[in-house]
Coordinates of all heavy atoms in Angstrom, one line a residue:
M231 N 0.8 -1.2 0.0 CA 0.0 0.0 0.0 C 0.9 1.3 0.0 O 0.6 2.2 -0.7 CB -0.9 0.0 1.2 CG -2.2 -0.8 0.9 SD -3.4 -0.6 2.2 CE -2.8 -1.6 3.5
G232 N 1.9 1.2 0.8 CA 2.8 2.3 0.8 C 3.4 2.6 -0.5 O 3.5 3.8 -0.9
N233 N 3.8 1.6 -1.2 CA 4.4 1.8 -2.5 C 3.4 2.5 -3.5 O 3.8 3.3 -4.3 CB 4.9 0.5 -3.1 CG 6.1 0.0 -2.4 OD1 6.8 0.8 -1.8 ND2 6.4 -1.3 -2.6
R234 N 2.2 2.0 -3.5 CA 1.2 2.6 -4.4 C 1.1 4.1 -4.1 O 1.0 4.9 -4.9 CB -0.1 1.9 -4.2 CG -1.1 2.3 -5.3 CD -2.4 1.5 -5.2 NE -2.2 0.1 -5.1 CZ -3.1 -0.8 -4.6 NH1 -4.2 -0.4 -4.2 NH2 -2.8 -2.1 -4.6
H235 N 1.0 4.4 -2.8 CA 0.9 5.8 -2.4 C 2.1 6.6 -2.9 O 2.0 7.7 -3.4 CB 0.7 5.9 -0.9 CG 0.7 7.4 -0.4 ND1 -0.4 8.2 -0.7 CD2 1.6 8.1 0.2 CE1 -0.1 9.4 -0.2 NE2 1.0 9.4 0.4
D236 N 3.3 6.0 -2.6 CA 4.5 6.7 -3.0 C 4.6 6.9 -4.5 O 5.0 8.0 -5.0 CB 5.8 5.9 -2.6 CG 6.0 5.9 -1.1 OD1 5.3 6.7 -0.4 OD2 6.7 5.1 -0.6
S237 N 4.1 6.0 -5.3 CA 4.1 6.1 -6.7 C 3.2 7.2 -7.2 O 3.5 8.0 -8.0 CB 3.7 4.8 -7.4 OG 4.6 3.8 -7.1
A238 N 2.0 7.3 -6.5 CA 1.0 8.3 -6.9 C 1.6 9.7 -6.5 O 1.5 10.6 -7.3 CB -0.3 8.1 -6.1
V239 N 2.3 9.8 -5.4 CA 2.9 11.0 -5.0 C 4.0 11.4 -6.1 O 4.1 12.5 -6.5 CB 3.5 10.9 -3.6 CG1 4.4 12.1 -3.3 CG2 2.4 10.8 -2.6
A240 N 4.8 10.4 -6.5 CA 5.9 10.7 -7.4 C 5.3 11.1 -8.7 O 5.8 12.1 -9.4 CB 6.7 9.4 -7.6
R241 N 4.2 10.5 -9.2 CA 3.6 10.8 -10.5 C 3.1 12.3 -10.4 O 3.3 13.0 -11.3 CB 2.5 9.9 -10.8 CG 2.9 8.8 -11.8 CD 1.6 8.1 -12.4 NE 0.6 7.7 -11.4 CZ 0.7 6.6 -10.8 NH1 1.6 5.8 -10.9 NH2 -0.3 6.3 -9.9
H242 N 2.4 12.6 -9.3 CA 1.8 13.9 -9.2 C 2.9 14.9 -9.2 O 2.8 15.9 -9.9 CB 1.0 14.0 -7.9 CG 0.4 15.3 -7.6 ND1 -0.6 15.8 -8.4 CD2 0.7 16.3 -6.7 CE1 -0.9 17.0 -8.0 NE2 -0.1 17.3 -7.0
A243 N 4.0 14.7 -8.5 CA 5.1 15.6 -8.4 C 5.7 15.8 -9.7 O 6.2 16.9 -10.1 CB 6.1 15.2 -7.3
Q244 N 5.8 14.7 -10.5 CA 6.5 14.7 -11.8 C 5.7 15.6 -12.7 O 6.3 16.3 -13.6 CB 6.6 13.3 -12.4 CG 7.8 12.6 -12.0 CD 7.9 11.2 -12.7 OE1 6.9 10.5 -12.7 NE2 9.0 10.8 -13.1
Q245 N 4.4 15.7 -12.6 CA 3.6 16.5 -13.5 C 3.9 18.0 -13.2 O 3.7 18.8 -14.0 CB 2.2 16.2 -13.3 CG 1.8 14.8 -13.9 CD 0.5 14.3 -13.4 OE1 -0.2 15.0 -12.7 NE2 0.1 13.2 -13.9
E246 N 4.3 18.3 -12.0 CA 4.5 19.7 -11.6 C 5.9 20.2 -12.0 O 6.1 21.4 -12.1 CB 4.3 19.8 -10.1 CG 2.9 19.6 -9.7 CD 2.7 19.8 -8.2 OE1 3.7 19.8 -7.5 OE2 1.5 19.8 -7.8
T247 N 6.9 19.3 -12.1 CA 8.3 19.7 -12.3 C 8.9 18.9 -13.4 O 8.5 17.8 -13.7 CB 9.1 19.6 -11.0 OG1 9.2 18.2 -10.8 CG2 8.6 20.3 -9.9
A248 N 9.9 19.5 -14.1 CA 10.5 18.8 -15.1 C 11.7 17.9 -14.6 O 12.2 17.0 -15.2 CB 11.1 19.8 -16.1
T249 N 12.1 18.2 -13.3 CA 13.1 17.4 -12.7 C 12.5 16.4 -11.8 O 11.3 16.2 -11.7 CB 14.1 18.3 -12.0 OG1 13.4 19.1 -11.0 CG2 14.8 19.3 -13.0
A250 N 13.4 15.7 -11.0 CA 12.9 14.7 -10.1 C 12.0 15.3 -9.1 O 12.2 16.4 -8.6 CB 14.1 14.1 -9.4
P251 N 10.9 14.5 -8.8 CA 10.0 15.0 -7.7 C 10.7 15.3 -6.4 O 11.7 14.6 -6.1 CB 9.0 13.9 -7.6 CG 9.2 13.0 -8.7 CD 10.6 13.2 -9.3
R252 N 10.2 16.1 -5.6 CA 10.8 16.4 -4.3 C 11.0 15.2 -3.5 O 10.0 14.4 -3.4 CB 9.9 17.4 -3.6 CG 10.6 17.9 -2.3 CD 9.7 18.9 -1.6 NE 9.2 20.0 -2.5 CZ 8.3 20.9 -2.2 NH1 7.7 20.8 -1.0 NH2 8.0 21.8 -3.1
G253 N 12.1 15.0 -3.0 CA 12.4 13.8 -2.2 C 12.9 12.6 -3.0 O 13.2 11.6 -2.4
F254 N 12.9 12.8 -4.3 CA 13.3 11.7 -5.2 C 14.5 12.1 -6.0 O 14.7 13.3 -6.2 CB 12.2 11.3 -6.1 CG 11.1 10.4 -5.5 CD1 10.2 11.0 -4.6 CD2 11.0 9.1 -5.8 CE1 9.2 10.2 -4.0 CE2 10.0 8.3 -5.2 CZ 9.1 8.9 -4.3
R255 N 15.3 11.2 -6.4 CA 16.5 11.5 -7.2 C 16.5 10.6 -8.4 O 16.0 9.5 -8.4 CB 17.8 11.2 -6.4 CG 17.8 11.8 -5.0 CD 18.0 13.3 -5.0 NE 19.2 13.7 -5.5 CZ 19.6 15.0 -5.5 NH1 18.8 15.9 -5.1 NH2 20.8 15.4 -6.0
E256 N 17.2 11.0 -9.5 CA 17.3 10.2 -10.6 C 18.4 9.2 -10.4 O 19.5 9.5 -9.9 CB 17.7 11.0 -11.9 CG 17.8 10.1 -13.1 CD 18.2 10.9 -14.4 OE1 18.7 12.1 -14.2 OE2 18.1 10.4 -15.5
V257 N 18.2 7.9 -10.7 CA 19.2 6.9 -10.4 C 19.9 6.5 -11.7 O 19.2 6.3 -12.8 CB 18.5 5.6 -9.9 CG1 19.5 4.5 -9.7 CG2 17.6 5.8 -8.7
L258 N 21.2 6.5 -11.7 CA 21.9 6.1 -12.9 C 22.7 4.8 -12.5 O 23.3 4.8 -11.4 CB 23.0 7.2 -13.3 CG 22.4 8.5 -13.7 CD1 23.5 9.5 -14.1 CD2 21.4 8.4 -14.9
L259 N 22.5 3.8 -13.3 CA 23.2 2.5 -13.1 C 24.2 2.3 -14.2 O 23.8 2.2 -15.4 CB 22.2 1.4 -13.0 CG 22.7 0.0 -12.9 CD1 23.6 -0.3 -11.7 CD2 21.6 -1.0 -12.9
S260 N 25.5 2.2 -13.9 CA 26.5 1.8 -14.9 C 27.1 0.5 -14.4 O 28.1 0.5 -13.6 CB 27.5 2.9 -14.9 OG 26.9 4.2 -15.2
P261 N 26.6 -0.6 -14.8 CA 27.1 -1.9 -14.3 C 28.3 -2.4 -14.9 O 28.6 -3.6 -14.8 CB 25.9 -2.8 -14.6 CG 25.3 -2.2 -15.8 CD 25.5 -0.7 -15.8
G262 N 29.1 -1.6 -15.5 CA 30.4 -2.0 -16.1 C 31.3 -2.8 -15.2 O 31.9 -3.8 -15.6
D263 N 31.4 -2.4 -13.9 CA 32.3 -3.0 -13.0 C 31.5 -3.9 -12.0 O 32.1 -4.4 -11.0 CB 33.0 -2.0 -12.1 CG 34.0 -1.2 -13.0 OD1 34.6 -1.8 -14.0 OD2 34.2 0.0 -12.7
C264 N 30.2 -4.1 -12.3 CA 29.4 -4.9 -11.4 C 30.0 -6.3 -11.2 O 30.3 -7.0 -12.1 CB 28.0 -5.1 -12.0 SG 26.9 -6.1 -11.1
S265 N 30.0 -6.7 -9.9 CA 30.6 -8.0 -9.5 C 29.5 -9.1 -9.4 O 29.7 -10.2 -9.1 CB 31.3 -7.9 -8.2 OG 30.5 -7.5 -7.2
G266 N 28.2 -8.6 -9.5 CA 27.1 -9.5 -9.4 C 26.8 -9.9 -8.0 O 26.2 -11.0 -7.8
C267 N 27.1 -9.1 -7.0 CA 27.0 -9.5 -5.6 C 25.5 -9.5 -5.2 O 25.1 -10.2 -4.2 CB 27.7 -8.5 -4.7 SG 27.0 -6.9 -4.6
G268 N 24.6 -8.8 -5.9 CA 23.2 -8.8 -5.6 C 22.8 -7.9 -4.4 O 21.6 -7.9 -4.1
A269 N 23.7 -7.2 -3.8 CA 23.3 -6.3 -2.7 C 22.3 -5.3 -3.1 O 21.4 -5.0 -2.3 CB 24.6 -5.6 -2.2
C270 N 22.4 -4.7 -4.3 CA 21.5 -3.6 -4.7 C 20.0 -4.2 -4.8 O 19.1 -3.5 -4.3 CB 21.9 -3.1 -6.0 SG 22.2 -4.3 -7.3
M271 N 19.9 -5.3 -5.3 CA 18.5 -5.9 -5.5 C 17.9 -6.2 -4.1 O 16.7 -6.0 -3.9 CB 18.6 -7.1 -6.4 CG 17.2 -7.5 -6.9 SD 17.2 -9.1 -7.7 CE 17.6 -10.1 -6.3
E272 N 18.7 -6.7 -3.2 CA 18.2 -7.0 -1.9 C 17.9 -5.8 -1.1 O 16.9 -5.7 -0.4 CB 19.3 -7.8 -1.1 CG 19.4 -9.2 -1.6 CD 20.4 -10.0 -0.7 OE1 20.5 -9.7 0.5 OE2 21.0 -11.0 -1.2
L273 N 18.7 -4.7 -1.4 CA 18.5 -3.4 -0.7 C 17.2 -2.7 -1.2 O 16.5 -2.1 -0.4 CB 19.7 -2.6 -0.8 CG 19.8 -1.3 -0.1 CD1 19.9 -1.6 1.4 CD2 20.9 -0.4 -0.6
A274 N 17.0 -2.7 -2.5 CA 16.0 -1.9 -3.1 C 15.3 -2.6 -4.2 O 15.4 -2.3 -5.4 CB 16.5 -0.6 -3.6
P275 N 14.5 -3.7 -3.9 CA 13.9 -4.5 -5.0 C 12.9 -3.7 -5.8 O 12.5 -4.1 -6.9 CB 13.2 -5.6 -4.2 CG 13.1 -5.2 -2.8 CD 14.2 -4.2 -2.6
D276 N 12.4 -2.6 -5.3 CA 11.4 -1.7 -6.1 C 12.2 -0.9 -7.1 O 11.6 -0.4 -8.0 CB 10.7 -0.8 -5.1 CG 9.7 -1.5 -4.2 OD1 9.4 -2.7 -4.5 OD2 9.3 -0.9 -3.3
I277 N 13.5 -0.8 -6.9 CA 14.3 0.1 -7.8 C 15.2 -0.8 -8.7 O 15.4 -0.4 -9.9 CB 15.2 1.1 -7.0 CG1 14.4 1.8 -5.9 CG2 15.9 2.0 -7.9 CD1 13.3 2.7 -6.5
V278 N 15.7 -1.8 -8.2 CA 16.6 -2.7 -8.9 C 16.1 -4.1 -9.1 O 15.7 -4.7 -8.1 CB 18.0 -2.7 -8.2 CG1 19.0 -3.5 -9.0 CG2 18.5 -1.4 -7.9
G279 N 16.1 -4.6 -10.3 CA 15.7 -5.9 -10.6 C 16.8 -6.8 -11.2 O 17.9 -6.3 -11.5
W280 N 16.4 -8.1 -11.3 CA 17.4 -9.0 -11.8 C 16.7 -10.1 -12.6 O 15.8 -10.8 -12.1 CB 18.2 -9.7 -10.6 CG 19.5 -10.1 -11.0 CD1 19.9 -11.1 -11.9 CD2 20.8 -9.6 -10.5 NE1 21.2 -11.2 -12.0 CE2 21.8 -10.3 -11.1 CE3 21.1 -8.7 -9.5 CZ2 23.1 -10.1 -10.8 CZ3 22.4 -8.4 -9.2 CH2 23.4 -9.2 -9.9
R281 N 17.0 -10.2 -13.9 CA 16.3 -11.2 -14.7 C 17.1 -12.5 -14.5 O 18.3 -12.6 -14.5 CB 16.3 -10.8 -16.2 CG 15.5 -9.6 -16.4 CD 15.5 -9.3 -17.9 NE 14.8 -8.0 -18.2 CZ 15.5 -6.8 -18.2 NH1 16.8 -6.8 -18.1 NH2 14.8 -5.7 -18.4
E282 N 16.3 -13.6 -14.4 CA 16.9 -14.9 -14.3 C 17.9 -15.2 -15.4 O 17.6 -15.0 -16.6 CB 15.8 -16.0 -14.3 CG 16.2 -17.3 -13.7 CD 15.0 -18.3 -13.6 OE1 13.9 -17.8 -13.4 OE2 15.3 -19.5 -13.8
G283 N 19.1 -15.6 -15.0 CA 20.1 -15.9 -16.0 C 21.0 -14.7 -16.3 O 22.1 -14.9 -16.9
D284 N 20.6 -13.5 -15.9 CA 21.5 -12.4 -16.1 C 22.6 -12.3 -15.1 O 22.5 -12.8 -13.9 CB 20.7 -11.1 -16.0 CG 20.0 -10.8 -17.3 OD1 20.0 -11.6 -18.2 OD2 19.3 -9.7 -17.4
E285 N 23.7 -11.7 -15.4 CA 24.8 -11.5 -14.5 C 24.8 -10.2 -13.8 O 25.6 -10.0 -12.9 CB 26.2 -11.7 -15.3 CG 26.3 -13.1 -15.8 CD 27.6 -13.3 -16.6 OE1 28.4 -12.3 -16.7 OE2 27.9 -14.4 -17.1
R286 N 24.0 -9.3 -14.3 CA 23.9 -7.9 -13.8 C 22.5 -7.5 -13.6 O 21.6 -7.9 -14.3 CB 24.7 -7.0 -14.7 CG 26.2 -7.3 -14.8 CD 26.9 -6.5 -15.8 NE 28.3 -6.8 -15.8 CZ 29.1 -6.4 -16.7 NH1 28.7 -5.7 -17.7 NH2 30.4 -6.6 -16.6
P287 N 22.3 -6.5 -12.7 CA 21.0 -6.0 -12.4 C 20.5 -5.0 -13.5 O 21.3 -4.6 -14.3 CB 21.1 -5.3 -11.1 CG 22.6 -4.8 -11.1 CD 23.3 -5.9 -11.8
F288 N 19.3 -4.6 -13.4 CA 18.7 -3.6 -14.3 C 17.8 -2.7 -13.4 O 17.4 -3.1 -12.3 CB 17.9 -4.1 -15.5 CG 16.6 -4.8 -15.1 CD1 15.4 -4.1 -15.1 CD2 16.6 -6.1 -14.7 CE1 14.3 -4.7 -14.7 CE2 15.5 -6.8 -14.3 CZ 14.3 -6.1 -14.3
L289 N 17.6 -1.5 -13.9 CA 16.7 -0.6 -13.2 C 15.3 -0.8 -13.4 O 14.8 -0.8 -14.6 CB 17.1 0.9 -13.5 CG 18.4 1.5 -13.0 CD1 18.5 2.9 -13.5 CD2 18.4 1.4 -11.5
V290 N 14.5 -1.1 -12.4 CA 13.1 -1.2 -12.4 C 12.5 0.2 -12.5 O 11.5 0.5 -13.2 CB 12.5 -1.9 -11.2 CG1 11.0 -1.9 -11.2 CG2 13.1 -3.3 -11.1
S291 N 13.1 1.1 -11.8 CA 12.7 2.5 -11.8 C 13.9 3.4 -11.8 O 14.9 3.1 -11.1 CB 11.9 2.8 -10.5 OG 11.7 4.2 -10.3
D292 N 13.9 4.5 -12.6 CA 15.0 5.4 -12.6 C 14.9 6.6 -11.6 O 15.6 7.5 -11.7 CB 15.3 5.9 -14.0 CG 14.2 6.7 -14.6 OD1 13.2 6.8 -14.0 OD2 14.3 7.1 -15.8
M293 N 13.9 6.4 -10.8 CA 13.7 7.4 -9.7 C 13.6 6.7 -8.4 O 13.0 5.6 -8.3 CB 12.3 8.2 -9.9 CG 12.3 9.1 -11.0 SD 13.3 10.6 -10.6 CE 13.4 11.4 -12.2
A294 N 14.3 7.2 -7.4 CA 14.3 6.6 -6.1 C 14.3 7.6 -5.0 O 14.8 8.8 -5.2 CB 15.6 5.7 -5.9
P295 N 13.7 7.3 -3.9 CA 13.7 8.3 -2.8 C 15.2 8.6 -2.4 O 16.1 7.7 -2.5 CB 13.1 7.5 -1.6 CG 12.2 6.5 -2.3 CD 12.9 6.1 -3.6
D296 N 15.5 9.8 -2.0 CA 16.8 10.2 -1.6 C 17.6 9.2 -0.8 O 18.7 8.8 -1.2 CB 16.7 11.5 -0.7 CG 16.5 12.7 -1.5 OD1 16.5 12.7 -2.8 OD2 16.2 13.8 -0.9
G297 N 17.0 8.7 0.3 CA 17.7 7.8 1.2 C 18.0 6.5 0.5 O 19.1 5.9 0.8
V298 N 17.1 6.0 -0.4 CA 17.4 4.8 -1.0 C 18.6 4.9 -2.0 O 19.5 4.0 -2.0 CB 16.1 4.3 -1.8 CG1 16.4 3.0 -2.6 CG2 15.0 4.0 -0.8
L299 N 18.6 6.0 -2.7 CA 19.7 6.2 -3.6 C 21.0 6.3 -2.8 O 22.1 5.7 -3.2 CB 19.5 7.4 -4.5 CG 20.7 7.7 -5.5 CD1 21.0 6.5 -6.4 CD2 20.4 8.9 -6.3
T300 N 21.0 7.0 -1.7 CA 22.2 7.2 -0.9 C 22.7 5.8 -0.5 O 23.9 5.5 -0.5 CB 21.9 8.0 0.3 OG1 21.4 9.3 -0.1 CG2 23.1 8.2 1.2
E301 N 21.7 4.9 -0.1 CA 22.1 3.6 0.4 C 22.7 2.8 -0.7 O 23.7 2.1 -0.6 CB 20.9 2.8 1.0 CG 20.6 3.4 2.4 CD 19.5 2.6 3.0 OE1 18.7 1.9 2.3 OE2 19.4 2.6 4.3
L302 N 22.1 2.8 -1.9 CA 22.6 2.1 -3.1 C 24.0 2.5 -3.4 O 24.9 1.7 -3.6 CB 21.7 2.3 -4.3 CG 20.4 1.6 -4.3 CD1 19.5 2.1 -5.4 CD2 20.6 0.1 -4.5
M303 N 24.2 3.8 -3.4 CA 25.6 4.3 -3.7 C 26.6 3.9 -2.6 O 27.8 3.6 -2.9 CB 25.5 5.9 -3.8 CG 24.8 6.4 -5.0 SD 24.4 8.1 -5.0 CE 26.0 8.8 -5.1
A304 N 26.1 3.8 -1.4 CA 27.0 3.5 -0.3 C 27.3 2.0 -0.2 O 28.4 1.5 0.1 CB 26.4 3.9 1.1
F305 N 26.3 1.2 -0.6 CA 26.5 -0.3 -0.4 C 27.0 -1.0 -1.7 O 27.5 -2.1 -1.5 CB 25.1 -0.9 0.0 CG 24.8 -0.7 1.5 CD1 24.1 0.3 1.9 CD2 25.4 -1.6 2.4 CE1 23.8 0.5 3.2 CE2 25.1 -1.4 3.8 CZ 24.3 -0.3 4.2
C306 N 26.9 -0.4 -2.8 CA 27.4 -1.1 -4.0 C 28.9 -1.1 -3.9 O 29.6 0.0 -3.9 CB 27.0 -0.4 -5.3 SG 27.8 -1.1 -6.8
P307 N 29.6 -2.2 -3.8 CA 31.0 -2.2 -3.6 C 31.8 -1.8 -4.9 O 33.0 -1.5 -4.8 CB 31.3 -3.7 -3.3 CG 30.2 -4.5 -3.9 CD 29.0 -3.6 -3.9
E308 N 31.1 -1.7 -6.0 CA 31.8 -1.3 -7.3 C 31.5 0.1 -7.7 O 31.9 0.5 -8.8 CB 31.5 -2.4 -8.4 CG 31.8 -3.8 -8.0 CD 33.2 -4.1 -7.6 OE1 34.1 -3.3 -8.0 OE2 33.5 -5.1 -6.9
G309 N 30.7 0.8 -7.0 CA 30.4 2.2 -7.4 C 29.5 2.3 -8.6 O 29.7 3.2 -9.4
C310 N 28.6 1.4 -8.8 CA 27.8 1.3 -10.1 C 26.7 2.3 -10.1 O 26.1 2.6 -11.1 CB 27.3 -0.1 -10.3 SG 28.5 -1.3 -10.5
F311 N 26.3 2.9 -8.9 CA 25.2 3.8 -8.9 C 25.6 5.2 -8.7 O 26.6 5.5 -8.0 CB 24.3 3.4 -7.7 CG 23.5 2.1 -7.9 CD1 24.1 0.9 -7.4 CD2 22.3 2.1 -8.5 CE1 23.5 -0.3 -7.6 CE2 21.7 0.9 -8.7 CZ 22.3 -0.3 -8.3
E312 N 24.9 6.1 -9.4 CA 25.2 7.5 -9.4 C 23.9 8.3 -9.2 O 22.8 7.8 -9.6 CB 26.0 8.0 -10.6 CG 27.4 7.5 -10.7 CD 28.0 8.0 -12.0 OE1 28.2 9.2 -12.1 OE2 28.4 7.2 -12.8
D313 N 24.1 9.5 -8.7 CA 22.9 10.4 -8.6 C 22.8 11.2 -9.8 O 23.7 12.1 -10.1 CB 23.2 11.3 -7.4 CG 22.0 12.3 -7.1 OD1 21.2 12.4 -8.0 OD2 22.0 12.8 -6.0
G314 N 21.8 11.0 -10.6 CA 21.7 11.7 -11.9 C 21.3 13.2 -11.7 O 21.4 14.0 -12.7
D315 N 20.9 13.6 -10.6 CA 20.5 15.0 -10.3 C 21.7 15.7 -9.7 O 21.6 16.9 -9.4 CB 19.3 15.1 -9.4 CG 18.1 14.5 -10.1 OD1 17.8 14.9 -11.2 OD2 17.4 13.7 -9.4
A316 N 22.8 15.1 -9.5 CA 24.0 15.7 -8.9 C 24.8 16.6 -9.8 O 25.5 17.5 -9.4 CB 24.9 14.7 -8.2
S317 N 24.6 16.3 -11.1 CA 25.5 17.0 -12.1 C 24.8 18.3 -12.6 O 23.6 18.4 -12.4 CB 25.8 16.1 -13.3 OG 24.6 15.6 -13.8
Ligands
LIG638 S1 25.5 -3.8 -5.6 FE1 26.8 -3.1 -7.3 S2 28.2 -4.7 -7.7 FE2 26.6 -5.6 -6.4 S3 25.1 -6.5 -8.0 FE3 24.5 -4.4 -7.5 S4 25.4 -3.1 -9.1 FE4 26.5 -5.1 -9.0

């Protein structure tokens, strides 16, 4: 239920601004150095997915709450995640 509400809030906010909704950041995933540890998917399964048979994750959503992106950037041992709104 929380996710549905969060998505509705994100959609609403997206309509009001051209950039990331307040409290959300654009997620950039560059899996070039990915070791396949799976930490990102365990940490944020709403944002990062993994197809069976793949060696690397993919983005389910390119928007994530601030705190979630911060955790992804902190916990990925290979530095595959970046804040797209930081540049
Ligand atoms: S946390 Fe980083 S290194 Fe580990 S699977 Fe995810 S992208 Fe790859």
Side-chain angles (χ1 to χ4, degrees):
M231 277 192 280
N233 285 344
R234 190 178 306 161
H235 177 71
D236 288 347
S237 297
V239 170
R241 261 198 309 278
H242 180 68
Q244 269 180 323
Q245 289 165 0
E246 293 180 348
T247 64
T249 56
R252 188 179 307 170
F254 283 72
R255 312 289 293 184
E256 182 184 14
V257 182
L258 298 179
L259 171 60
S260 304
D263 294 327
C264 174
S265 62
C267 70
C270 52
M271 198 192 64
E272 287 185 27
L273 188 69
D276 291 344
I277 309 297
V278 185
W280 206 297
R281 294 183 189 91
E282 198 174 324
D284 279 2
E285 294 179 359
R286 293 173 176 168
F288 68 95
L289 286 181
V290 174
S291 168
D292 62 359
M293 289 285 168
D296 282 351
V298 173
L299 178 56
T300 299
E301 286 186 337
L302 285 168
M303 292 168 65
F305 282 94
C306 174
E308 307 300 340
C310 297
F311 290 91
E312 289 181 63
D313 181 347
D315 293 314
S317 54

